[in-house]
Amino acid sequence: MKPSKPVILTGVRANNNIHIGNYFGAILPIINMAKRRSDEYDINLFIPDLHSFTTPIDHSKLYDSILNNARVYTAAGLPLDNSSIHLYRQSRISAHSELAWILDCFTGFGEMSRMTQFKDKGSKGDASVGLFNYPVLMAADILLYGATYVPVGDDQTQHLEFTRDIAERMNRKFGERMNYDKFVDLFIVPKPVIQQHQFFGKDQGLRIKDLVNPAKKMSKSDESGKGIIFLSDDPKSAHKKIMSATTDSIGKVQYDKENQPGISNLLEILTLVRQDAGREVTLEQTVNEYFGMDRYGDFKRIVADEVAEFLENFQNRLAAVDERAIEEKLASSEKDMNVVANETLYRVQKAVGLRK
């Protein structure tokens, strides 16, 4: 069972709690991209639950976090009735794990040691083997389905290049010679990073910054929680966080990410919540509307009011999602994706000598 169209593959790790940085920076752009491109492409929107515990998490909440990803996708506008969009859990397709092991055996220790993300996270404490060879599982996620395009952030570009490297390595070693001089590749090699960025363009989301420390991106690693707005936050609590956001001493609203990162972050957040509400507004229009405003408290209140309204509306949409429809979509997609993935795995098994 080959995909009927070229494949775009993407997914967001199942977090215990999703914040607005995840939502506006990754989830909403993914959903909008899927709706726009599903006529021409098969969209593999998977939940990478096996990746979820490469770093410490609360395992008692993992199962619900996995399903919550599907709920959030749906509340964000994912059309569950679109047959070109496949929603599935990574762990429900065992070919991911088996192909990862095969690829592990053709991957150098030095390759993985040079991965920047591993070096960054591993330096903060004991790192697991899972974190070390995470890029190999990511490669399996992509190569099983012959995905051509994979939207990745800056922290994942190195992993995508590794996926291309291991695919080409396996093709050279195990590609079949046909008709004297023609090779049939084992894997479809995804496009290089520069072509990925050209293809997705504006489909890539803004990276919302921490409210307390706008020099870094919003992340749940902030133990205080004061700089993060979670989708589950009470709207009144979120309102207070915005009102307490770090600004500057310049005293004039303008978009200057270097000198006024806090105010610039609030301008971006305001634009995003307005777009989510259905308003056709650009960042430039928001900047022009409030340019020169000299009372930060008044500006923060405007942002806080609209963020609180966004959360209330989103939480209402989330509460209204059809749980049965989500379960049916997962079951249907996982059945189809198992067929595709197992066909690829069987081809690889034959190539490496595990099957006749």
Side-chain angles (χ1 to χ4, degrees), residues 65-242:
S65 294
I66 293 165
L67 292 180
N68 193 54
N69 266 37
R71 297 184 194 109
V72 170
Y73 293 155
T74 307
L78 180 70
L80 297 176
D81 58 351
N82 188 322
S83 61
S84 292
I85 298 176
H86 312 285
L87 178 66
Y88 58 99
R89 291 161 289 192
Q90 179 190 35
S91 64
R92 300 304 174 99
I93 300 162
S94 59
H96 286 251
S97 301
E98 185 164 352
L99 180 59
W101 171 252
I102 294 174
L103 297 180
D104 269 339
C105 295
F106 296 92
T107 298
F109 181 85
E111 283 182 292
M112 294 297 98
S113 300
R114 290 190 293 271
M115 292 292 162
T116 303
Q117 195 174 71
F118 169 75
K119 289 191 289 186
D120 290 346
K121 292 183 178 180
S123 65
K124 298 175 183 177
D126 291 337
S128 69
V129 175
L131 179 63
F132 181 72
N133 71 351
Y134 160 92
V136 183
L137 180 56
M138 179 174 165
D141 299 335
I142 296 167
L143 299 177
L144 278 172
Y145 306 97
T148 307
Y149 290 105
V150 185
V152 292
D154 294 339
D155 58 343
Q156 294 289 331
T157 57
Q158 196 178 24
H159 298 169
L160 182 61
E161 288 299 345
F162 166 73
T163 300
R164 287 172 44 78
D165 290 344
I166 191 67
E168 291 171 346
R169 184 179 310 155
M170 298 295 282
N171 286 347
R172 288 193 300 270
K173 189 173 182 66
F174 296 108
E176 294 182 282
R177 184 180 291 277
M178 304 288 288
N179 299 328
Y180 300 104
D181 60 352
K182 182 180 179 181
F183 277 91
V184 176
D185 285 337
L186 196 58
F187 294 117
I188 293 174
V189 181
K191 300 292 185 184
V193 170
I194 188 169
Q195 291 184 35
Q196 301 282 351
H197 291 328
Q198 290 169 348
F199 177 79
F200 290 107
K202 294 182 179 179
D203 288 334
Q204 304 288 326
L206 292 171
R207 301 188 73 176
I208 291 178
K209 303 296 185 179
D210 187 274
L211 296 175
V212 176
N213 181 6
K216 66 176 186 178
K217 71 176 183 177
M218 188 174 285
S219 169
K220 67 173 186 174
S221 62
D222 172 17
E223 295 181 0
S224 73
K226 294 179 180 178
I228 314 170
I229 294 177
F230 293 103
L231 293 180
S232 59
D233 274 352
D234 178 81
K236 291 181 180 179
S237 171
H239 194 284
K240 291 179 181 178
K241 290 180 182 180
I242 294 289

Side-chain angles (χ1 to χ4, degrees), residues 10-15 18 22 26-27 30 45-49 52 69 73:
T10 187
V12 177
R13 175 173 149 162
N15 293 324
I18 299 173
N22 303 137
I27 292 172
I30 283 172
L45 176 52
F46 81 117
I47 301 172
D49 48 0
S52 294
N69 266 37
Y73 293 155

